[in-house]
């Protein structure tokens, strides 16, 4: 279990833009690179069969949407079909445990995000750690959108504050997984606003926002890709986006900062392979997914889906991965009693 001091230490992470450390990322394809079916080259015969990508969250959530979007274009580069397998449970740890024990041949990859290399500090019984995976690339750094149910009466940060302070601990907040970016956002936002939410955990952001749309929960903090369908359908009220500036996919949704609270929060998304995957295979995968990311058609589709594209790969991503791990590890362990 996590102590109160540990939770407070983790909250510091929520206000950080998680493109820190060595990998600044890129929000658009380099002018010198073009999209399309560039060959990934390499000396091995990899790949010669279907590649599987484990997404440790439910279908339709931000993780699932972002991986499926990128993988569709990577199929062209790899010359093989990429199959997405949603393995839910344990706030992502069931799927990542399966990934860590997979044969390290490049045919099983997995979705990975900001805090996953420290899951063994956040959850009891987790056997994998930072050294269990081979980093491939980071492909996005996404903000959340705070959404409210129609019956909550919340329409902006001011009304959220008013309701939260009038009903301490009663304002329910649906999270797309325990100790994911959703939870780190909750903790840090509670500190920033000086209110406490009633924490309700689901197995993905799509389930969380559905609970808000049905009126079962007051608020949720889905990623943009998860929020867009319910917002467009008029089923939820968009309160604010957690990026530093407005996102042009949802230009009418104001930032939290615009509404008088100096607060931002984003989460990076990436792909990893099991440790022990041969370097030449890793190089093939890096090149294929880089090619997919640089495809203008991918960029357009990612933007339309609410994915904030940001690229970091190869050795640069390995450095970022390790430094990000140490940053979170220090914050988490500083709270241990």
């Amino acid at each position: 279990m996590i102590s109160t001091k540990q939770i407070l230490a983790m909250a510091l992470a929520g206000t950080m833009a998680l493109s820190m450390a060595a990998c600044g990322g890129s929000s658009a394809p380099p002018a010198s690179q073009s999209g399309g079916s560039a060959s990934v080259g390499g000396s091995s015969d990899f790949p010669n069969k279907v590649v599987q990508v484990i997404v440790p969250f439910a279908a339709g959530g931000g993780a699932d949407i972002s991986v499926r979007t990128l993988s569709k274009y990577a199929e062209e580069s790899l010359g093989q079909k990429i199959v997405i397998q949603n393995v839910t449970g344990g706030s992502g740890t069931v799927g990542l445990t399966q990934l860590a024990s997979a044969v390290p041949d490049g045919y099983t990859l997995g979705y990975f995000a900001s805090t996953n290399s420290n899951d063994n500090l956040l959850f009891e019984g987790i056997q994998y750690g930072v050294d269990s995976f081979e980093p491939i690339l980071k492909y996005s750094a996404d903000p959340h959108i705070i959404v409210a149910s129609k019956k909550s009466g919340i329409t902006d940060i001011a009304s959220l504050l008013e309701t939260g302070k009038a009903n301490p601990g009663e304002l329910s907040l649906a999270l797309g997984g325990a100790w994911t970016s959703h939870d780190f956002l909750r903790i840090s936002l509670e500190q920033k606003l000086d209110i406490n939410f009633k924490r309700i955990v689901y197995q993905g952001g799509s389930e969380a926002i559905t609970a808000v749309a049905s009126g079962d929960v007051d608020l949720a903090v889905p990623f943009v890709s998860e929020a867009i369908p319910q917002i467009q359908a008029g089923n939820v009220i968009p309160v604010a986006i957690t990026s530093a500036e407005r996102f042009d996919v949802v230009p009418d949704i104001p930032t939290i900062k615009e509404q008088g609270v100096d607060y931002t929060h984003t989460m990076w998304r990436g792909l990893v392979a099991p440790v022990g995957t041969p370097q030449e295979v890793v190089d093939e995968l890096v090149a294929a997914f880089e090619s997919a990311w640089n495809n203008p058609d991918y960029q357009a589709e990612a933007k339309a889906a609410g994915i904030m594209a940001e690229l970091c790969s190869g050795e640069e991503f390995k450095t970022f991965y390790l430094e990000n791990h140490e940053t979170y590890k220090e914050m988490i362990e500083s709270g241990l009693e």
Side-chain angles (χ1 to χ4, degrees):
M1 300 296 292
I2 299 176
S3 68
T4 301
K5 285 177 63 181
Q6 187 176 3
I7 291 174
L8 294 177
M10 287 191 295
L12 298 175
T15 58
M16 300 174 66
L18 295 179
S19 297
M20 57 190 176
C23 190
S26 172
S27 59
S32 60
Q33 298 190 35
S34 60
S37 56
S39 171
V40 297
S43 58
S44 72
D45 63 351
F46 176 85
N48 56 30
K49 61 180 181 179
V50 170
V51 173
Q52 172 185 258
V53 179
I54 294 174
V55 176
F57 297 101
D64 181 70
I65 292 169
S66 68
V67 172
R68 288 180 188 274
T69 304
L70 182 64
S71 295
K72 179 171 68 174
Y73 292 93
E75 286 183 335
E76 187 175 1
S77 305
L78 276 175
Q80 290 289 342
K81 184 172 180 60
I82 298 175
V83 175
I84 308 302
Q85 182 180 4
N86 297 93
V87 182
T88 62
S91 294
T93 61
V94 174
L96 290 177
T97 296
Q98 182 174 316
L99 174 65
S101 62
V103 176
D105 56 6
Y107 290 101
T108 303
L109 312 177
Y111 168 88
F112 211 79
S114 303
T115 62
N116 290 141
S117 66
N118 281 298
D119 280 350
N120 58 332
L121 298 181
L122 298 171
F123 302 94
E124 293 182 359
I126 298 303
Q127 299 301 312
Y128 63 81
V130 65
D131 297 328
S132 302
F133 305 103
E134 182 68 38
I136 298 172
L137 88 166
K138 177 184 80 173
Y139 59 86
S140 74
D142 292 344
H144 297 253
I145 294 178
I146 301 174
V147 297
S149 71
K150 290 182 174 180
K151 70 179 187 181
S152 70
I154 296 170
T155 57
D156 54 18
I157 293 297
S159 55
L160 189 160
L161 269 168
E162 181 180 358
T163 304
K165 288 184 180 297
N167 304 277
E170 294 301 316
L171 193 58
S172 56
L173 177 63
L175 305 174
W179 308 119
T180 61
S181 183
H182 295 242
D183 227 347
F184 277 67
L185 188 158
R186 173 191 64 83
I187 297 165
S188 56
L189 195 60
E190 284 180 333
Q191 286 196 324
K192 193 70 177 180
L193 300 180
D194 192 27
I195 62 175
N196 291 312
F197 296 108
K198 182 179 180 181
R199 176 180 182 263
I200 303 177
V201 179
Y202 292 86
Q203 288 299 327
S206 60
E207 293 181 12
I209 194 171
T210 298
V212 174
S214 66
D216 293 334
V217 182
D218 297 316
L219 299 164
V221 286
F223 292 103
V224 179
S225 56
E226 297 165 334
I228 285 176
Q230 295 283 14
I231 292 173
Q232 290 178 338
N235 295 332
V236 297
I237 305 298
V239 174
I241 191 166
T242 66
S243 49
E245 298 178 352
R246 292 196 186 199
F247 192 9
D248 56 6
V249 174
V250 284
D252 296 331
I253 300 178
T255 66
I256 296 178
K257 294 183 74 171
E258 282 182 69
Q259 299 181 64
V261 179
D262 187 12
Y263 177 89
T264 61
H265 180 99
T266 61
M267 185 194 74
W268 63 262
R269 305 179 187 273
L271 293 173
V272 299
V275 68
T277 303
Q279 187 59 50
E280 64 268 22
V281 171
V282 171
D283 291 343
E284 293 273 2
L285 291 166
V286 169
F289 282 99
E290 276 187 341
S291 178
W293 192 93
N294 280 295
N295 188 323
D297 292 336
Y298 165 73
Q299 289 288 323
E301 186 170 341
K303 182 177 179 180
I307 300 165
M308 193 169 285
E310 185 172 290
L311 178 65
C312 182
S313 59
E315 292 302 318
E316 188 179 15
F317 182 48
K318 288 182 181 180
T319 301
F320 170 80
Y321 171 86
L322 293 173
E323 292 188 2
N324 177 86
H325 168 77
E326 291 300 326
T327 298
Y328 271 102
K329 182 173 182 286
E330 182 178 344
M331 287 188 290
I332 294 168
E333 289 186 337
S334 69
L336 292 174
E337 295 179 345

